Amino acid sequence: MTILADTPAATPPLTAEGFAHVDHWIFDLDNTLYSHESRVWPQVNERITLFLQDLFGLDGLSSHALRQYYYHRYGTTLKGLMEEHQIDPDRFLDFAHDIDLTLLEPDPALGAALAALPGRKLILTNGSVGHAKNVAGKLGILDQFEDIFDIVHAGFLPKPERATYENFLAKHSVDPGRAAMFEDIEKNLIVPSALGMKTVLIIPKTPDPFREAWEQAAIDAGHVHHVTADLTGFLRPLGRLGDGHG
């Protein structure tokens, strides 16, 4: 595993070694394409908690605990609500993603790094297409992506379920042996690695108080090939050294 110099355990700068074959670049959305300082994901969490409060008449603490229960058992709160209460997914997704993106600023440096990558770029998210478009649009990088595969396309089966990755690969004719996956949740890289993708774990530059410690740790595992707290810095050499792609 390579850990970039912006993380506690420093190694030499990244080179194109290990990525020379990659021409499909797959990105998670939340906490991967933006930093937690923009307060995007905390708002989504707050909206999910409020949804549970309104749905079940719970107080805030009870709603938070229920959200954690669904997340750990089903992978997403939505999946839990659909399994146990047959909730309308569109109603949930519209409510959860009705957030303020004021603190999310355009990121032209990330846009330039994405533009320099050779090949196709896609988003694979447990959120909705609408949310992904809003976030990527505000970042100024939406036009860098060929398409967005969201939780609806996945049949509401969230990552890290293998079927979701397989459906994504089939829908977009992606050869996993020529792909790289960028993700902020370590367990969501297990299947991509097993399928033959290069994997990159994105961790926060500073601790995120709104997420659990295991969700933001630099995990040393066989399915995690690289770890970085600077996505733009990670991508730059891959774009510059990617001229040899055929």
Side-chain angles (χ1 to χ4, degrees):
M1 177 180 68
T2 298
I3 303 179
L4 290 201
D6 52 21
T7 61
T11 60
L14 180 73
T15 70
E17 181 181 358
F19 288 85
H21 63 294
V22 173
D23 56 13
H24 290 76
W25 308 86
I26 305 161
F27 295 84
D28 174 51
L29 177 77
D30 290 307
N31 297 309
T32 296
L33 292 177
Y34 62 83
S35 70
H36 69 85
E37 285 84 2
S38 59
R39 279 204 89 252
V40 173
W41 187 245
Q43 289 186 73
V44 175
N45 274 343
E46 290 168 5
R47 294 289 291 174
I48 293 172
T49 300
L50 183 58
F51 186 91
L52 295 175
Q53 283 183 251
D54 294 344
L55 184 64
F56 297 115
L58 301 173
D59 58 56
L61 286 176
S62 298
S63 296
H64 174 78
L66 183 59
R67 179 172 59 80
Q68 290 296 95
Y69 160 75
Y70 285 140
Y71 174 58
H72 288 289
R73 179 167 182 178
Y74 295 101
T76 63
T77 302
L78 174 58
K79 182 65 173 174
L81 289 172
M82 291 178 68
E83 290 286 337
E84 296 190 7
H85 301 282
Q86 296 74 53
I87 198 71
D88 175 13
D90 291 332
R91 173 189 168 200
F92 174 92
L93 291 169
D94 289 345
F95 187 92
H97 294 140
D98 183 13
I99 60 173
D100 180 7
L101 297 179
T102 300
L103 296 180
L104 185 65
E105 298 182 351
D107 193 343
L110 176 58
L114 289 168
L117 294 176
R120 304 165 66 198
K121 284 144 279 187
L122 299 151
I123 290 175
L124 171 55
T125 176
N126 279 344
S128 67
V129 165
H131 176 59
K133 285 184 175 180
N134 289 340
V135 169
K138 186 70 186 295
L139 287 168
I141 61 173
L142 180 59
D143 61 349
Q144 297 299 328
F145 295 99
E146 177 183 313
D147 205 355
I148 299 165
F149 187 94
D150 74 342
I151 195 66
V152 179
H153 292 119
F156 303 102
L157 189 66
K159 295 178 289 183
E161 295 294 335
R162 186 182 183 95
T164 293
Y165 298 95
E166 292 175 340
N167 289 338
F168 164 79
L169 295 173
K171 176 178 172 61
H172 294 290
S173 300
V174 173
D175 176 359
R178 299 177 63 87
M181 180 80 203
F182 297 79
E183 210 1 295
D184 69 299
I185 300 293
E186 165 267 329
K187 67 180 181 179
N188 290 349
L189 293 174
I190 295 174
V191 172
S193 175
L195 291 171
M197 298 186 204
K198 296 297 292 185
T199 63
V200 183
L201 178 64
I202 310 300
I203 61 173
K205 291 183 178 179
T206 59
D208 184 348
F210 296 99
R211 300 170 67 203
E212 298 180 41
W214 67 268
E215 294 179 292
Q216 48 188 315
I219 304 295
D220 186 1
H223 59 275
V224 178
H225 303 146
H226 301 274
V227 177
T228 184
D230 180 5
L231 176 61
T232 300
F234 188 96
L235 294 177
R236 280 195 187 108
L238 302 182
R240 288 199 302 268
L241 299 175
D243 294 337
H245 287 300

